[in-house]
Amino acid sequence: MTHGTALPGGAPALRLTVFVGEQEAWHHKPLYAELVHRARGAGLAGASVFRGVEGFGATSLIHTQRLLSMSEDLPVAVVVVDTEERIRAFLPELDELLAGGGLVTLDPCEALTYPRPDRPDRPAAEEGGRG
């Protein structure tokens, strides 16, 4: 297969990943939760939060699940996959939310959507990955 060629049923997409600390907050609410709620409000296809077991960021201080004293602020990644147009339209939301720092990556990818067996009447494109 040639690089960049979509598989049958696949569609070009953009993966947005936002890396923040687990303890970072937005108006007394976890920042990662605010990111998910804003992504949903923007109508993006879906968002998932992944908690790291160990990592370090700009401070070079290692946070790990293995040491109780350092486990309060584990790394968290919020991942959203949608069309490039929709992801790029969402980026201004991050300006406000990440004013205190954070890392954002954008990666081109290919999205393959499998229809859910409990919704055979809905086309995969309509579902957009929502569950």
Side-chain angles (χ1 to χ4, degrees), residues 18-22 24 31-32 35 74-78 98 101-103:
V18 181
F19 297 92
V20 295
E22 184 178 33
E24 291 183 51
L31 179 57
Y32 61 83
L35 286 162
L74 292 169
V76 172
V78 179
L98 300 179
L103 173 67

Side-chain angles (χ1 to χ4, degrees), residues 9-126:
L14 195 63
R15 177 178 47 236
L16 164 71
T17 306
V18 181
F19 297 92
V20 295
E22 184 178 33
Q23 295 299 313
E24 291 183 51
W26 177 259
H27 296 285
H28 310 289
K29 174 179 175 180
L31 179 57
Y32 61 83
E34 182 65 19
L35 286 162
V36 168
H37 287 275
R38 289 200 186 190
R40 185 171 189 248
L44 296 176
S48 298
V49 178
F50 299 94
R51 183 178 189 229
V53 295
E54 187 167 32
F56 71 93
T59 64
S60 294
L61 179 64
I62 293 180
H63 298 273
T64 177
Q65 211 171 22
R66 293 179 284 134
L67 300 171
L68 292 177
S69 64
M70 295 292 176
S71 65
E72 294 90 22
D73 196 24
L74 292 169
V76 172
V78 179
V79 179
V80 182
V81 176
D82 207 318
T83 65
E84 181 172 359
E85 179 182 351
R86 292 168 64 100
I87 292 291
R88 291 200 182 276
F90 181 70
L91 291 178
E93 294 277 347
L94 303 180
D95 294 343
E96 179 183 21
L97 294 175
L98 300 179
L103 173 67
V104 176
T105 62
L106 295 170
D107 304 291
C109 62
E110 185 173 343
L112 300 173
T113 305
Y114 293 85
R116 290 179 47 175
D118 60 338
R119 297 186 196 174
D121 58 320
R122 292 184 67 191
E126 182 182 318

